[in-house]
Amino acid sequence: MRARDLAVGFPTVTLDTPALEAARLLADQDLPGLVLVDDDGRPLSILPGTQVLRLAVPAYCQDDPALARVVDEAHADLFLRELGDRTVRECLPEQPRELPVADVKATVLELAALMARTRSPLVAVVDAGGRLAGAVTLQSLMDHALRP
Amino acid sequence: MRARDLAVGFPTVTLDTPALEAARLLADQDLPGLVLVDDDGRPLSILPGTQVLRLAVPAYCQDDPALARVVDEAHADLFLRELGDRTVRECLPEQPRELPVADVKATVLELAALMARTRSPLVAVVDAGGRLAGAVTLQSLMDHALRP
């Protein structure tokens, strides 16, 4: 079994996708993250769901739990409105040392090692030209590995 | 909306749960992680799926992608067998500075800020006595926040 056998089509976003649209994709399709691609369809990064949240949470609340507590319940419920017109460009985490991107020929073990190292439950799979061929989730990897 | 309204029952594991059983729970129920509790039902930590994988991947493959590549496909497919008799105790990540654990009274904003800070898509919710009341996923938080 290779990455190409496990990879499935996966929603992509670009740097200019509105962050709110990214949040909707994550929520509607129950995804662990999104694949960020450039204009040529080459994966640039994986955008974890927690980092989309990060943009929606006012900076003072992120840094100090006590400050998040003073926002009343009614306003707290509406926090995603804070995303406003912002785009994915603004919610990218600091670039990690290694991207969760694998070649179509990667084995299940290589995919598992990559997820473990990058702590990413989602790996983008690219063809020899560096173009996105699909993505593999931790879920589908586990399903395969546990199959009797 | 408070944490108590969003929290749902969630599978728990203890330090002595076999790692393979944890892997099965993650895969069968499509979970972003598991809640680790002590013998009194108090949450000790959140165990992300990627960290269960980590135990199954031989250390030399984690550190060096080139070495994962030399394991042939047939053996790579069976990597989860490496879990053997090991337990959850052995796949805990280094303890983070802040645990993704919230009080039942936490607002949606507090939960979002906590997920963003800890980069955890799963938060354990505890009652006043510190006992587990349930857990909130990034998914359910997003669903709530995006509801019109």
Side-chain angles (χ1 to χ4, degrees):
Chain A
M1 180 74 62
R2 302 273 175 176
R4 73 166 77 83
D5 308 309
L6 286 169
V8 294
F10 215 84
T12 58
V13 292
T14 69
L15 288 170
D16 297 319
T17 303
L20 193 58
E21 191 179 316
R24 282 191 198 284
L25 269 175
L26 283 169
D28 290 350
Q29 301 190 34
D30 196 0
L31 306 173
L34 297 167
V35 179
L36 174 68
V37 294
D38 67 16
D39 293 337
D40 294 324
R42 290 168 207 273
L44 291 174
S45 190
I46 293 290
L47 183 66
T50 53
Q51 298 314 294
V52 177
L53 275 186
R54 209 167 161 215
L55 189 66
V57 174
Y60 66 89
C61 294
Q62 283 182 45
D63 303 337
D64 187 344
L67 288 174
R69 210 162 297 142
V70 302
V71 175
D72 69 49
E73 193 176 333
H75 284 93
D77 274 2
L78 301 173
F79 78 96
L80 270 191
R81 294 205 182 156
E82 287 284 325
L83 286 176
D85 295 329
R86 281 183 281 182
T87 63
V88 163
R89 192 184 304 274
E90 296 164 75
C91 47
L92 278 186
E94 291 162 51
Q95 203 66 325
R97 276 163 301 178
E98 185 183 17
L99 288 176
V101 175
D103 186 85
V104 286
K105 292 196 297 268
T107 63
V108 173
L109 179 63
E110 284 180 78
L111 293 171
L114 186 59
M115 287 182 185
R117 269 201 311 275
T118 59
R119 294 173 181 248
S120 172
L122 181 65
V123 166
V125 177
V126 293
D127 62 22
R131 285 202 169 66
L132 187 68
V136 180
T137 62
L138 172 66
Q139 188 62 30
S140 64
L141 188 73
M142 288 282 208
D143 281 347
H144 169 73
L146 288 167
R147 209 174 299 154
Chain B
M1 181 73 62
R2 303 274 175 175
R4 73 166 78 83
D5 309 308
L6 287 169
V8 293
F10 214 84
T12 58
V13 292
T14 69
L15 289 170
D16 297 318
T17 303
L20 193 58
E21 190 180 316
R24 282 192 197 283
L25 268 175
L26 282 169
D28 290 350
Q29 302 190 33
D30 197 2
L31 306 173
L34 297 167
V35 180
L36 173 70
V37 295
D38 66 15
D39 293 337
D40 294 324
R42 291 168 207 273
L44 290 174
S45 191
I46 294 290
L47 183 67
T50 52
Q51 296 314 292
V52 176
L53 275 186
R54 211 169 159 214
L55 188 65
V57 174
Y60 66 88
C61 295
Q62 284 181 43
D63 302 337
D64 186 345
L67 288 174
R69 211 162 297 143
V70 301
V71 176
D72 69 50
E73 191 176 336
H75 283 93
D77 274 3
L78 301 173
F79 77 97
L80 270 190
R81 294 204 182 157
E82 286 283 325
L83 286 176
D85 295 330
R86 281 183 281 182
T87 63
V88 163
R89 191 184 307 273
E90 296 164 74
C91 47
L92 278 185
E94 290 163 51
Q95 203 65 326
R97 277 162 301 178
E98 184 184 18
L99 288 176
V101 175
D103 186 86
V104 286
K105 292 195 297 266
T107 63
V108 173
L109 180 62
E110 284 179 77
L111 293 171
L114 185 59
M115 286 181 185
R117 270 200 309 275
T118 60
R119 295 174 179 247
S120 172
L122 181 65
V123 166
V125 177
V126 293
D127 63 22
R131 284 201 170 67
L132 187 67
V136 181
T137 61
L138 173 66
Q139 188 61 29
S140 64
L141 188 74
M142 288 283 207
D143 281 346
H144 169 74
L146 289 168
R147 208 174 300 154

